[in-house]
Amino acid sequence: MADVPLTGLAAARLYDDHVDGVHAMVARRVGAEHAPNVTAEVFEHALRGWDRYEESGATERNFLLGAATIVLRRHTDRERAYLLSIPDPSLRNTPMSHDPLVVEQTPYDADTERERELGGSSFDAAMNALVDLDADLRDTLLLSLWERMSTQSIAEALDLSPNTVRSMLSKARRALKAAR
Amino acid sequence: MNVVDLLEAARPEVAPMPLDQRRMVRERLFGAADDVVRTTIRERSASGAVTATAPRGYRADRVRVRPKRPRRSGSFAKMGAGLLVVGAAGAAGWSWYADSNDEAAVSLTTTTVEATTTTTTTTAPTTTLAPTRTGVTDEEPVLFPLGLIPVEEAVIDQAPVGGEYVVMRAGDGSWVRLEAIDGEEGATSDFDFSPIGSIEVAPFTFAEGGPWIYTIETTCGAVRVVDAPAQEQFRPLMTELFRGMSIDAGGAVDALLPASLSVVEAAIGSPEYRTVFRIEGQTDGDDDSGSDDDRLITLRQVPDGSIAQLLPGGAQPVEMIWLGERAVGVGDLDTTGDEIGPVAVYWRDASTVFAVSSDVVPLDQLESFVSGLRAATVNSWIERFSADAVDSSAAPGDGADDPSETDPDVTTTIAPPCSPQPSLGPTFLP
């Protein structure tokens, strides 16, 4: 077999294998509107630094999500705006029912009700604390919470040691609780 | 609920990336005609995120119409004069592809025929005849199967906004591709450009031995030159090409071509009619050389199109005989070996250019498959494959909510508001 642009196909295979995962992570951070362009930036960044992947020992997914983390730093304003626009999940399923037989589909949450009366929900406070978090800590935390990555995977993605990742996750949690 | 639990619960659920966006990003990354469609379709089909709705034994799929792009004022008919500069090496190489065995020459685009005729033959353009291997004509420019064959996807794929393409051939036989695609401002801001002559160029490659992809700095969009694989970075031919290049205030990229580099064919992107067929496996009992799931054949057809649009960057096609006429192919063209590898064949009948490709179907079976197709009008093609255009059972996220999926009149532009957009100058695209 000759003359097949194997490298081009390999890169395209990488794209096809991982574009959904990268896009999903990016969309979770900056929203669907900006996700395609940022996703493209992620792959451009990753492909140009592919020699680092060869040395890193990371999986392709982890390497790409690490690249996404780096690229998202260029979009902190968009990320902040999007994160603060995410609706309170406890309100997502509130029934807009016109059926009188449908009652109480959302469990009553006394804490939430009290916080609303005080002018701010615990969710809003949590999101504000998240966006105010140190960027390194926020990235680490969101890779864990939203991308469901293990400590080892985060370490591969961010080129850190697992112990450093654990420490950062712990710091992030403490900072969030303190800010609330 | 503690704050961490709250944040975890806030994890936004996101829909799969829409196919048009997915392709748009791929085009930005790899070029508009990167022949990776088959891989993509298989992946998407496996995930169920796109279509893959055709039950075995039935034709069944939707036609997806991507947003239309504004056509530029240029036309293929204007390409003649500039191509007179086609050099001997390129012309000879292409003429092998272009000329048929008998006295009738293959009808390339009008201008290419003129160029080839001017430089290599005395056949007048007006006397050229198209080969009849597939039977397509200007009135029936596309192919579809006579019988019912499962179809993975049928797509009318509009060319990327502002897509313009050139394939060139060097004296050493290598093929070089240049493309200009509209895009946003700063699309290449992440590159490390270096000045060469009057332009700035940034090289990168996916891996050692792969083709060098040179991005030329532009205000908007992207202009890329893809060299042949296994060449050194900035080989003398590339450096000479870049030194002769210029970009004017309107974004037109032009060049004084090196003597050893010849324009083979150039084109403004045209709509592509792409179908992915699933053919029955020919397994014998325990023969597991390929599952049915893998036996996909992609047929890409561009009426009034150009090989320059279909040929992926970095591809180094070789001349071959295909359905009794001349064509070019890439990949596993050897039908005698046991190993079957990816293969793609590019050819022209009448004014339509074709590319048929498969990862696992050998060349002779591809030839047999194509010979069983029949010529049809574009409308027939659309009607044939849009039988299930209204699919109320379409799953969320597969594009059912996208009006462009079902409304061919949707003209949502993806042209970004940036100026000047890059274009190819008269040396490349008169």
Side-chain angles (χ1 to χ4, degrees), chain A residues 7 15-16 37 48 74 146, chain B residues 7 11 22 40 184 190 211:
Chain A
T7 54
Y15 174 82
D16 289 327
N37 279 334
R48 280 203 311 283
R74 304 173 195 159
W146 286 3
Chain B
L7 292 176
R11 178 180 188 266
R22 191 183 165 106
T40 304
E184 294 182 347
D190 211 21

Side-chain angles (χ1 to χ4, degrees), chain B residues 53-327:
Chain B
T53 55
R56 296 190 68 79
Y58 291 88
R59 62 174 177 84
D61 218 316
R62 296 173 291 125
V63 170
R64 186 171 54 82
V65 182
R66 293 194 63 223
K68 295 173 181 174
R69 62 175 289 270
R71 289 298 298 267
R72 291 178 181 241
S73 57
S75 70
F76 293 105
K78 296 178 182 176
M79 291 165 56
L83 291 182
L84 295 180
V85 300
V86 169
W94 192 246
S95 65
W96 196 95
Y97 162 77
D99 298 344
S100 63
N101 288 327
D102 54 32
E103 54 274 8
V106 175
S107 175
L108 298 173
T109 60
T110 303
T111 52
T112 305
V113 170
E114 289 171 358
T116 303
T117 302
T118 302
T119 54
T120 64
T121 79
T122 57
T123 306
T126 53
T127 61
T128 57
L129 298 172
T132 56
R133 53 188 148 187
T134 60
V136 295
T137 63
D138 288 348
E139 291 72 34
E140 294 186 322
V142 293
L143 298 173
F144 67 41
L146 278 170
L148 300 180
I149 298 177
V151 172
E152 279 290 301
E153 187 175 69
V155 176
I156 302 173
D157 201 352
Q158 298 290 336
V161 174
E164 297 179 347
Y165 315 95
V166 178
V167 285
M168 296 175 278
R169 198 165 191 199
D172 62 3
S174 59
W175 294 65
V176 177
R177 187 169 190 268
L178 166 63
E179 65 182 19
I181 298 172
D182 288 4
E184 294 182 347
E185 183 177 2
T188 58
S189 61
D190 211 21
F191 288 71
D192 295 323
F193 289 101
S194 302
I196 300 182
S198 66
I199 63 172
E200 303 251 338
V201 182
F204 76 95
T205 186
F206 297 128
E208 189 176 353
W212 282 99
I213 301 171
Y214 300 93
T215 303
I216 297 169
E217 186 170 36
T218 51
T219 305
C220 317
V223 175
R224 298 187 192 90
V225 176
V226 186
D227 199 359
Q231 300 287 344
E232 62 178 311
Q233 181 182 347
F234 285 119
R235 63 168 164 151
L237 180 68
M238 290 294 103
T239 303
E240 192 180 352
L241 171 65
F242 296 136
R243 284 205 178 108
M245 273 188 165
S246 61
I247 304 176
D248 69 17
V253 179
D254 215 337
L256 184 62
L257 290 181
S260 62
L261 194 62
S262 309
V263 171
V264 172
E265 197 163 323
I268 298 171
S270 296
E272 172 187 325
Y273 296 78
R274 188 174 70 246
T275 323
V276 181
F277 299 99
R278 181 189 299 280
I279 65 168
E280 295 292 338
Q282 295 187 338
T283 54
D284 299 321
D286 57 358
D287 181 359
D288 59 353
S289 59
S291 70
D292 283 352
D293 287 344
D294 290 329
R295 296 183 66 80
L296 302 180
I297 295 175
T298 300
L299 178 66
R300 303 163 66 198
Q301 312 177 75
V302 184
D304 291 324
S306 166
I307 298 288
Q309 179 178 341
L310 288 179
L311 198 65
Q316 301 297 297
V318 295
E319 294 84 359
M320 60 182 293
I321 296 295
W322 173 255
L323 295 169
E325 303 281 352
R326 287 164 174 170

Side-chain angles (χ1 to χ4, degrees), chain A residues 1-5 7-9 11-13 15-17 19-20 23-25 27-28 32 35-37 39-41 43-45 47-48 50 74 82 86-89 92 111 122-123 126-127 129-130 141 144-148 173 176-177 180, chain B residues 1-4 6-18 21-26 28-30 34-36 38-40 43-44 184 187 190-191 204-211 229 312-316 318 330-332 341-342:
Chain A
M1 199 169 83
D3 298 323
V4 178
T7 54
L9 287 175
R13 192 275 308 157
Y15 174 82
D16 289 327
D17 282 354
V19 63
D20 283 334
H23 173 266
M25 172 184 168
R28 276 192 275 273
N37 279 334
T39 300
E41 286 183 45
F43 277 94
E44 285 171 350
H45 179 89
L47 290 170
R48 280 203 311 283
W50 200 245
R74 304 173 195 159
Y82 176 70
I86 293 174
D88 186 340
R92 280 180 195 163
D111 286 344
S122 54
F123 177 76
M127 295 309 290
L130 176 68
L141 185 72
S144 171
L145 292 182
W146 286 3
E147 306 315 316
R148 289 155 183 170
R173 291 189 172 101
L176 287 172
K177 287 172 183 170
R180 194 183 172 195
Chain B
M1 187 180 283
N2 71 44
V3 63
V4 175
L6 274 174
L7 292 176
E8 187 164 21
R11 178 180 188 266
E13 293 300 326
V14 297
M17 191 175 190
Q21 292 180 1
R22 191 183 165 106
R23 183 164 176 81
M24 190 171 68
V25 172
R26 184 196 295 108
R28 172 173 161 181
L29 292 169
F30 307 116
D34 205 327
D35 193 15
V36 296
R38 55 184 181 269
T39 305
T40 304
E43 294 288 335
R44 300 288 286 182
E184 294 182 347
D190 211 21
F191 288 71
F204 76 95
T205 186
F206 297 128
E208 189 176 353
Q316 301 297 297
V318 295
V330 176
D332 188 7

